[in-house]
Amino acid sequence: MVPSKFAYHKPSTVKEAIALLATHGDDSKILSGGHSLVPVLKLRLNDPEHIIDVSGIDSMGGIRDNEKSITIGANSTHGEIANNAALKEHAPMVALAASMIGDIQVRNFGTIGGSIAHADPAADWPAVLLAADANVVLSHAGGQREVDIDQFFKGLFMTAMGEEEIITAIRIPKTAFNKNSTYVKFPQPASRFALVGCAAAISNSDGYITEARVAFSGVSATPFRDSNVEKSLKGSVLNEGSIATATASVADGVSIMSDHFAAEKYRKHMAGVYARKALSALA
Amino acid sequence: MTYIGSSVKRVEDKRFITGQGRYTDDIVLPQMTYACMVRSPHAHAEIVSVDISHAEQMDGVVKIFTGKDTDAAGIGGVPCGWQVDFKNGDTMKEPPHPLLVSDKARHAGDAIAMVIAETYAQAKDAAEMVIVEYNVLPAVTNSKAARADGAPQVHADVPNNLAFDWELGNPREEVDAAIAGAHHVTTLEFINQRVICNAIEPRSAIGHFDTAYDKYTLYTSTQNPHLIRLLLCAFVLGLPEHKVRVVGPDVGGGFGSKIFHYTEEALVIWGSNQIKRPIKWTAERSESFVTDAAGRDHITTAKMAFDKDGNVLALSADTFANMGAYLSTFAPAVPTYLHGTLLQGLYTTPLINVSVDAVFTNTTAVDAYRGAGRPEATYLLERLMDTAALEMGRDPAELRLQNFIEPFDGVEQEGYVTQVALQYDSGNYAPVLKRGLEMVGYEQFRADQKAAEGTGKLLGIGFSTYIEACGIAPSAVVGALGARAGLFESAQVQVHPTGKVSVYSGSHSHGQGHETSFAQVVADKMGIPMEDVEIIHGDSDAVAFGMGTYGSRSLAVGGSAIVKSIEKVLEKGAKIAAHLLEASVEDLDYAEGKWTVRGTDKSVAFGDVSLTAYVPHNYPEGLEPGLDFSSFYDPANFTYPFGCHICIVEIDKESGVVKVKRFIAVDDVGNVINPMIVDGQIHGGLAQGIGQAFCEGAIYDESGQLVNGTYMDYVMPRADDLPSFEIDRTVTPCPHNPLGVKGAGEAGCIGATPAVVNAVMDALKGYGIHDVEMPVTSQKVWNIIHGS
Ligand SMILES: Cc1cc2nc3c(=O)[nH]c(=O)nc-3n(C[C@H](O)[C@H](O)[C@H](O)COP(=O)(O)OP(=O)(O)OC[C@H]3O[C@@H](n4cnc5c(N)ncnc54)[C@H](O)[C@@H]3O)c2cc1C
C-alpha cells in the first residue's frame, strides 16, 4: 500500500493551482481530502508524477449563505456540510446526505469537490446535487464558468470538467423545492456507497406539486434525474396514490448497473422502493 | 482471594488501547531491509520466464530471489502438518508447496520472486519491474468441478485433483439401508462458503541472521512460535533448532489464519542468511486477501432419516472440501477429524456415516478458521434439524429435545461414546435449550409471528444446538489420526526470591486475554496478588516449549500445565515452610499466601519461603535451592462445550432486507475464570458466525480471480448489522482437567451461523423452499419472495 513516487505541490491560491495544472498536465492530479485519490494511488491504479494539493487554498473553503443561493466551497468536508445551519434550513437533503457518507473520519476529510470530480456513480453527492439544481463553479486560467449540474456528470468517473480546470465551489439555489427535500440510501453492504441513492425535492402550491426533482445515484453509470417520475408528480397532490403511480416504473429506459449485490432487476426494483421512501417522507 | 470467576479488567488492554502494542511490523532492526513479493496475477499459469535484469538496476535494490534460487538451494517448500491417507490406504497426495514457484502458479497470489530493497517503497517499485512471462491455463476454483474428468489439473501428479478421500462412522451400507427404510428423510445440498479470516493485523515476518552468534531470529505474527520453529528447522530449511529463535510478539488477531507456517516466514529467514541483513515483509491488505489461508469452503449433500415419531435413525454426509492449491499446515484435519467426528452433535443418532473428498483447486489454501470443521458440522446438523422439523410439521425445539443425549457428568456416568470416534466428557443438553426458549419468550414469539402475517414483514426464528471439541488435544489420539505433532502444552512457574512470579506459557495470546485470565488462575492458586504475576508467552528463547493457541485450547491445556507447575511449587514451598516452622509438612495448611501450622498462629509467608529458597542458609537438608518448576500437560480427552443459539429475524418483503432482531446464546463452556473475557469471546464469535450467514464469502470469477478482494466489496459484519446480544450460560465442568474448563474461543462462531439461516428459512416457510445459499443477501431473499 505504497504509492509510486510523486512530487508534492501545495499552492495557496487557485491561480497557482491552475498554473501547476497547466505545467504538469496529464502527469498531475489534484488532491483534496484524499479519500478517493489516495486509495487509488496506493493500489497503484494511477501513478501521477505530480500531486497538487488544493486543501490549503482558503478561497475554496467555507460555506457562504447568500441571498439567492448557498455557496459551498469545493474544499468543504462532508462533515462541515452535514453540520451547516443554512443548509439544514434551506436544503435539508444536502446536510442529510453529507451525514450519511462513510464514517466520521471520512466525513472529516473527504470533500464535496473531490467527490463530484471523482464522479463515482455510487457516491451520494450526484443524486443530491441533481435534485438540488446545483451549479458547479469551475476555474481555469482564463477565469471561471458555471456548469449546470444536469450537464456535469457524463458517465462512469467522467464529468464536464476540462483538463485544466478545477472545481472551486458548488452553488445550491435557495428554492422552495430544496427547502422541502430529502435523501435516502440503500447502502452497498461492504462499501456503504449507494446501491441506490434517491434524492427528492418538491415544491407545492395550494397542496399541488409545482416542481418535483427526483434523482438517483448508484443505479446507472451516469447519475440521473427520472423525468417520468417528475412529470407524473407535477400537478398532483403528494400522497400514497400519486407516489405509487409516479414510482411504478422508476428508471425505465435507463441502462442499469449490475453486480453481485444487486443485479439489474433487483436494483431497478430497489430504485422504486427508495423513490417511494423518499417521496413518502415528504408527503 | 478469589480472582477466579470475577471479571477482572484485561491488563493487556492498557497497551493496546493506548497504541503501545508491539506488533511485528513495529519492530525495526539495524540494517534492516524490506521485501516485496512478486505474485502471480493469474490463478493458473505456467511460468515461461522471469526477467529480473531491469528490477535489479532499480534504486535501493539489495537482492532479488526467484524460484530458481530456492530450487538451487534445495528448499523443498513448507510441509503439511497432518497426514490423512486415502480410504484404500494410499498415502495422502502432498505435492510440494515451494517458497517461490518456478514452474507454474497455482493460484492468484502465488509468489514468484522476493525483491529486497533498502525501503519498502523501493522494493515495491522494483517488484513492478520484474517481468514474468506466463502461459495462462484454464483454472478451477470449485471443489466439485475440480473432481470432474477433464477439469484443470492443479498438480500434474494428483489425478482428478484428489488429495485424499476419507470416511468415518458406521458402514455406509447400514446407514443407507436405514435411510432407505425410514419414515421421513430430509436431504439438503448446500455450500458452506469460503470465508476470508481478515485479522486486523496483516501477516508480517522479520528474518534476522545474526552473524556474531550464527543464530537466526524470526519475528512473526503467529499463533504458535514453537511450532513454526519446529517446522522451519525440521522440515523446511534444516536449521539447528537451538540456533533459531521464533518470537510471536503482540498479534492483532488470527482466527486460525496465523496458526500455519507460511512461505514468507521461511523466505525471510533463509534470505537473511544469504544477504546477511535482516529482512522484513508485511502483507498489504490485498495480499492478505489472496495469501492468508481461508476457511470453510465445503460442498455437501447430507441426509437425516427419522422414524414416524421423529426419532433420528441415521445420518449420511458427503462433502467436497476445497483445500486450495496446496495443503496448508492443518488443512487435512479440518474437514475430517474436526468435522466428521462432530456429526453426532447432541443427538442419539445410532447410525452415522460421513465421507469427504479433499480437493485441490486454483485458489488460496483453506485451513482452520475459528471453529475449524466444527462450524461446518454444526451447520450441516442444525440446518437438517430445522428443515426436518419444517418438513414433518414438528416444532424445531421439541424435535431437538426429543433426540438429545441424556445428561452425563463424566464422573458418576461414563462419557458418551459417539458413532464417530469420540467420547464426550460431560454434558447436560436440555437446560441450554430450555433456558434459550425462556429468554426468547418462545410462545410470545410464535404469537408475534402469526400477528405479522399479512403485513409487509415476515418474522422467523432459528435454532442451533451445537457441540464442539476443544482443548486440542490428547497427543496419542491425534497422533493416531495423522497429526505430525503432539498437542500438549508446557508451562514454567518461576518464583523469584522476592515472591514475585513469572509464568512462561507455551500458549500464545493474540487477543484472548491470557495475560489476565492466566494471572487470575496463578494468583488464586498461589494466594498472591495478581500484580505479583507476570505471564510471558510468544518467545521461544523465553518459553521452553509450546504448541500455541487454537482450537480453544489455551486455558484447558495451557492453563492446566500452569496448574501442574503451581502444585509443584507449593509442594516444595511446603517443605521449606515446614523447616522454617519446625513442623512437619502434614501439619501445614496453605492459604492466602502463607503456610500455617494447623491449630496454631505460627505461620510463614510465601515471600519468606521464596527468599529462603534462593538464600538457603537455614534450609532443609538434601533439598535443592530455588523455586521454579516446569510441567507438560497432555490432556486425557478433548473438552466438549455445547450450547443453544436462537436467532430472530425480520424480513422486509418489499426489499428483501433481513434484520437480525435478536440473538440469544446460552453456552456451556465449563467453569469460567473471567466472565467478561468469555462474554467477549462469545460476542466476537457470534459476530463472525452471523457474518458468514449474511455478509461474508469469497467470490471467484471464471478465470480464478477473487472478485471481492478488497473491503469495498468483501462484506465484513459491522456493529450496526448486529443486535445487542442476549447471552447466558450453564456450567457443566470438564471432569478431566484441573480447572474444569472447556474453552470458549470458538463457541460463538460454531453455533451462530445455522441459527441465522434457520431463522430466515422459518420466515420464508410460506415460499416452498428448503435452502438459501449463504451469504443470505437481500437480493437472494427478494428473489425468493418474488419467485425469481
Ligand atoms: C472508507 C470510505 C468510505 C466512503 N464512503 C462514502 C459514502 O458512503 N458515500 C460517498 O459518496 N463517498 C464515500 N467515500 C468517498 C468520500 O466521500 C471521498 O471523500 C470523496 O469521494 C472524494 O473527496 P476527497 O476530498 O477525498 O477527494 P480526493 O480523494 O482528494 O480526490 C478525488 C478526485 O477528485 C479530484 N479532485 C479533488 N478535488 C478537486 C477539485 N477541487 N477540482 C477538481 N478535481 C478535484 C482528484 O484529482 C481526484 O481525482 C468514502 C471513502 C472512504 C475512504
Side-chain angles (χ1 to χ4, degrees):
Chain A
M1 295 296 268
V2 181
S4 304
K5 215 173 191 166
F6 54 77
Y8 175 79
H9 308 270
K10 191 160 188 186
S12 50
T13 64
V14 172
K15 217 172 157 173
E16 276 177 59
I18 289 169
L20 283 163
L21 257 186
T23 312
H24 301 298
D26 268 0
D27 293 336
S28 68
K29 212 69 186 128
I30 301 278
L31 173 78
S32 182
H35 273 48
S36 290
L37 183 61
V38 173
V40 166
L41 298 182
K42 283 180 160 185
L43 289 168
R44 298 198 168 199
L45 299 173
N46 197 336
D47 53 354
E49 282 169 30
H50 298 269
I51 292 287
I52 304 164
D53 181 352
V54 296
S55 67
I57 301 176
D58 289 343
S59 66
M60 287 171 66
I63 299 170
R64 281 179 302 279
D65 186 3
N66 315 317
E67 194 188 333
K68 294 226 166 86
S69 67
I70 296 172
T71 305
I72 305 174
N75 282 347
S76 304
T77 63
H78 313 312
E80 287 170 298
I81 296 169
N83 292 312
N84 183 271
L87 286 168
K88 280 186 188 169
E89 186 191 341
H90 294 286
M93 69 177 163
V94 175
L96 183 63
S99 76
M100 291 159 72
I101 294 174
D103 52 35
I104 289 180
Q105 288 92 329
V106 174
R107 292 194 289 277
N108 283 345
F109 258 92
T111 67
I112 188 169
S115 177
I116 65 169
H118 192 54
D120 185 329
D124 294 298
W125 282 128
V128 174
L129 298 184
L130 281 165
D133 193 19
N135 270 10
V136 181
V137 184
L138 296 170
S139 293
H140 48 87
Q144 66 176 47
R145 63 181 178 126
E146 292 206 15
V147 177
D148 190 323
I149 193 72
D150 284 323
Q151 308 305 318
F152 186 76
F153 296 109
K154 295 291 184 195
L156 196 67
F157 302 110
M158 288 190 324
T159 70
M161 184 168 63
E163 268 175 25
E164 290 180 15
E165 286 185 317
I166 58 176
I167 302 171
T168 45
I170 287 95
R171 253 193 264 288
I172 310 285
K174 286 185 179 172
T175 58
F177 58 79
N178 274 336
K179 208 158 182 155
N180 183 37
S181 63
T182 194
Y183 178 69
V184 289
K185 129 156 119 170
F186 182 49
Q188 194 258 46
S191 72
R192 305 264 172 121
F193 275 68
L195 280 177
V196 173
C198 177
I202 283 183
S203 59
N204 296 289
S205 172
D206 296 333
Y208 292 93
I209 298 173
T210 49
E211 186 151 13
R213 297 180 68 97
V214 180
F216 294 90
S217 284
V219 179
S220 178
T222 315
F224 64 99
R225 282 169 56 201
D226 192 319
S227 54
N228 294 334
V229 177
E230 294 179 353
K231 271 184 210 140
S232 167
L233 289 170
K234 198 165 175 176
S236 63
V237 176
L238 191 68
N239 57 29
E240 215 176 302
S242 64
I243 292 173
T245 311
T247 59
S249 52
V250 167
D252 253 13
V254 171
S255 120
I256 291 175
M257 292 195 289
S258 177
D259 59 24
H260 61 269
F261 296 108
E264 202 176 313
K265 188 172 167 198
Y266 180 59
R267 199 180 292 248
K268 184 167 191 292
H269 166 76
M270 291 306 281
V273 171
Y274 275 75
R276 282 189 285 283
K277 270 190 209 290
L279 292 169
S280 304
L282 300 178
Chain B
M1 256 163 284
T2 46
Y3 291 108
I4 292 180
S6 74
S7 291
V8 177
K9 287 213 176 113
R10 304 198 333 164
V11 296
E12 47 271 82
D13 284 348
K14 183 186 143 214
R15 70 174 187 277
F16 293 149
I17 63 181
T18 55
Q20 298 182 86
R22 196 160 304 139
Y23 301 89
T24 300
D25 193 57
D26 292 325
I27 296 168
V28 177
L29 302 177
Q31 294 290 304
M32 192 161 80
T33 63
Y34 296 81
C36 178
M37 303 297 165
V38 176
R39 297 190 182 277
S40 169
H42 306 292
H44 200 193
E46 281 166 8
I47 297 163
V48 179
S49 64
V50 181
D51 178 1
I52 59 169
S53 58
H54 304 281
E56 275 179 327
Q57 303 306 315
M58 301 275 290
D59 279 355
V61 171
V62 175
K63 181 80 194 167
I64 299 175
F65 294 110
T66 67
K68 281 214 174 87
D69 300 307
T70 46
D71 288 350
I75 304 169
V78 291
C80 179
W82 202 301
Q83 183 175 330
V84 177
D85 291 334
F86 281 80
K87 285 181 198 170
N88 66 7
D90 285 359
T91 307
M92 174 175 86
K93 301 279 187 197
E94 193 181 346
H97 183 182
L99 306 189
L100 297 169
V101 289
S102 57
D103 56 344
K104 72 170 180 172
R106 293 176 183 82
H107 70 91
D110 226 348
I112 287 161
M114 172 167 72
V115 178
I116 303 162
E118 299 293 341
T119 69
Y120 181 69
Q122 289 170 332
K124 174 117 182 155
D125 285 343
E128 285 187 343
M129 296 302 289
V130 172
I131 297 158
V132 186
E133 195 186 328
Y134 296 98
N135 176 24
V136 179
L137 303 169
V140 64
T141 60
N142 174 295
S143 57
K144 201 168 171 179
R147 290 284 290 117
D149 287 333
Q153 280 281 123
V154 181
H155 298 277
D157 51 354
V158 183
N160 288 94
N161 297 311
L162 186 63
F164 60 87
D165 60 9
W166 178 86
E167 185 180 19
L168 184 70
N170 309 98
R172 187 58 179 244
E173 312 78 65
E174 273 180 49
V175 174
D176 284 346
I179 292 172
H183 172 77
H184 180 84
V185 180
T186 291
T187 304
L188 280 179
E189 286 184 46
F190 60 86
I191 295 173
N192 199 310
Q193 85 275 32
R194 172 184 296 235
V195 292
I196 292 166
C197 300
N198 281 310
I200 197 165
E201 178 212 16
R203 287 191 297 113
S204 180
I206 303 171
H208 178 205
F209 179 71
D210 184 338
T211 51
Y213 292 88
D214 282 341
K215 185 164 177 176
Y216 296 88
T217 301
L218 173 68
Y219 297 91
T220 180
S221 50
T222 183
Q223 302 178 208
N224 32 234
H226 294 85
L227 186 65
I228 302 303
R229 183 177 66 171
L230 178 61
L231 293 172
L232 204 53
C233 294
F235 295 96
V236 187
L237 297 176
L239 305 176
E241 205 170 351
H242 62 300
K243 289 289 196 184
V244 178
R245 173 185 175 207
V246 177
V247 185
D250 282 337
V251 171
F255 310 114
S257 69
K258 292 175 183 167
I259 299 172
F260 323 120
H261 180 33
Y262 286 93
T263 52
E264 294 89 353
E265 293 169 324
L267 274 173
V268 294
I269 278 289
W270 173 77
S272 74
N273 192 0
Q274 303 298 304
I275 66 167
K276 308 292 187 235
R277 290 176 65 180
I279 304 171
K280 177 191 278 185
W281 168 81
T282 300
E284 299 190 358
R285 183 56 69 182
S286 319
E287 268 181 300
S288 301
F289 268 101
V290 295
T291 66
D292 290 3
R296 318 288 185 252
D297 210 338
H298 284 191
I299 301 175
T300 296
T301 304
K303 293 181 188 205
M304 195 178 243
F306 295 83
D307 68 15
K308 65 177 185 346
D309 299 320
N311 298 306
V312 184
L313 296 177
L315 173 79
S316 72
D318 299 286
T319 290
F320 295 95
N322 198 336
M323 296 282 103
Y326 305 101
L327 291 179
S328 175
T329 313
F330 283 140
V334 176
T336 54
Y337 294 107
L338 294 174
H339 169 249
T341 52
L342 271 298
L343 290 178
Q344 187 81 49
L346 299 182
Y347 314 113
T348 54
T349 315
L351 290 167
I352 301 171
N353 178 279
V354 46
S355 78
V356 174
D357 280 8
V359 186
F360 289 113
T361 62
N362 294 115
T363 62
T364 308
V366 179
D367 204 324
Y369 164 64
R370 202 170 193 172
R374 291 150 290 162
E376 296 91 312
T378 304
Y379 190 77
L380 189 163
L381 285 173
E382 297 307 299
R383 284 285 298 114
L384 281 172
M385 262 295 162
D386 266 34
T387 309
L390 196 67
E391 289 173 352
M392 294 191 292
R394 290 286 310 269
D395 181 275
E398 272 174 32
L399 188 64
R400 285 182 169 79
L401 280 168
Q402 168 183 349
N403 283 287
F404 277 165
I405 295 161
E406 291 292 317
F408 57 100
D409 62 8
V411 184
E412 298 287 311
Q413 304 95 9
E414 284 268 294
Y416 184 85
V417 179
T418 73
Q419 303 302 315
V420 272
L422 297 177
Q423 182 170 23
Y424 294 168
D425 56 349
S426 60
N428 186 7
Y429 306 133
V432 290
L433 176 52
K434 288 184 173 156
R435 177 72 188 119
L437 291 172
E438 193 177 284
M439 287 167 72
V440 81
Y442 192 37
E443 283 169 22
Q444 181 60 45
F445 170 77
R446 289 294 184 193
D448 294 346
Q449 187 179 31
K450 263 221 130 42
E453 281 171 18
T455 71
K457 306 281 183 201
L458 295 166
L459 291 176
I461 191 166
F463 294 87
S464 165
T465 48
Y466 72 89
I467 189 158
E468 55 155 331
C470 290
I472 288 170
S475 297
V477 174
V478 294
L481 303 180
R484 289 168 176 166
L487 288 172
F488 54 83
E489 196 46 274
S490 88
Q492 178 190 358
V493 174
Q494 178 185 48
V495 183
H496 301 286
T498 54
K500 310 289 184 197
V501 177
S502 295
V503 176
Y504 300 85
S505 167
S507 295
H508 182 277
S509 185
H510 36 281
Q512 296 88 346
H514 294 173
E515 291 164 43
T516 308
S517 45
F518 285 8
Q520 286 177 258
V521 170
V522 175
D524 255 17
K525 298 273 176 201
M526 299 186 76
I528 57 175
M530 250 183 90
E531 297 73 46
D532 288 1
V533 182
E534 177 86 349
I535 307 293
I536 295 142
H537 63 89
D539 182 344
S540 70
D541 265 9
V543 180
F545 202 76
M547 290 308 299
T549 289
Y550 39 83
S552 304
R553 69 191 300 273
S554 293
L555 194 57
V557 188
S560 297
I562 293 174
V563 173
K564 269 183 85 170
S565 288
I566 292 171
E567 284 165 358
K568 293 177 190 169
V569 164
L570 293 180
E571 194 184 313
K572 183 173 180 182
K575 288 182 190 158
I576 300 168
H579 178 84
L580 295 174
L581 292 164
E582 297 176 342
S584 79
V585 167
E586 295 74 45
D587 294 335
L588 297 186
D589 287 328
Y590 184 72
E592 294 188 7
K594 58 184 184 212
W595 281 273
T596 307
V597 183
R598 202 170 303 119
T600 74
D601 58 1
K602 277 175 63 180
S603 69
V604 58
F606 182 73
D608 292 326
V609 168
S610 63
L611 190 64
T612 307
Y614 290 93
V615 189
H617 299 162
N618 175 16
Y619 203 66
E621 209 173 315
L623 193 68
E624 280 179 25
L627 199 52
D628 185 340
F629 286 96
S630 292
S631 307
F632 285 76
Y633 175 82
D634 201 347
N637 191 359
F638 292 89
T639 63
Y640 297 90
F642 56 90
C644 169
H645 292 182
I646 304 177
C647 178
I648 290 182
V649 298
E650 182 186 86
I651 295 176
D652 177 55
K653 278 202 233 175
E654 192 187 28
S655 63
V657 171
V658 186
K659 229 181 130 56
V660 184
K661 297 288 280 184
R662 291 177 69 192
F663 201 98
I664 286 105
V666 184
D667 299 285
D668 192 320
V669 298
N671 289 337
V672 169
I673 304 298
N674 185 319
M676 179 194 69
I677 288 180
V678 170
D679 288 354
Q681 289 292 315
I682 298 289
H683 281 208
L686 293 178
Q688 281 178 310
I690 297 170
Q692 183 182 9
F694 278 127
C695 308
E696 300 193 43
I699 302 171
Y700 290 99
D701 70 11
E702 287 281 294
S703 67
Q705 293 297 326
L706 180 65
V707 174
N708 53 351
T710 77
Y711 290 133
M712 289 292 277
D713 297 298
Y714 188 92
V715 189
M716 293 293 287
R718 304 200 201 178
D720 63 1
D721 292 321
L722 303 167
S724 193
F725 299 130
E726 301 165 60
I727 66 178
D728 199 3
R729 276 189 273 282
T730 62
V731 177
T732 308
C734 170
H736 63 74
N737 69 45
L739 293 165
V741 297
K742 289 192 169 186
E746 298 160 294
C749 198
I750 289 169
T753 313
V756 175
V757 177
N758 284 338
V760 172
M761 298 311 294
D762 184 52
L764 296 176
K765 62 188 164 198
Y767 295 90
I769 46 142
H770 291 259
D771 193 36
V772 54
E773 213 175 277
M774 295 189 288
V776 183
T777 61
S778 50
Q779 174 169 251
K780 287 180 191 161
V781 172
W782 184 79
N783 282 336
I784 290 167
I785 292 174
H786 298 273
S788 47

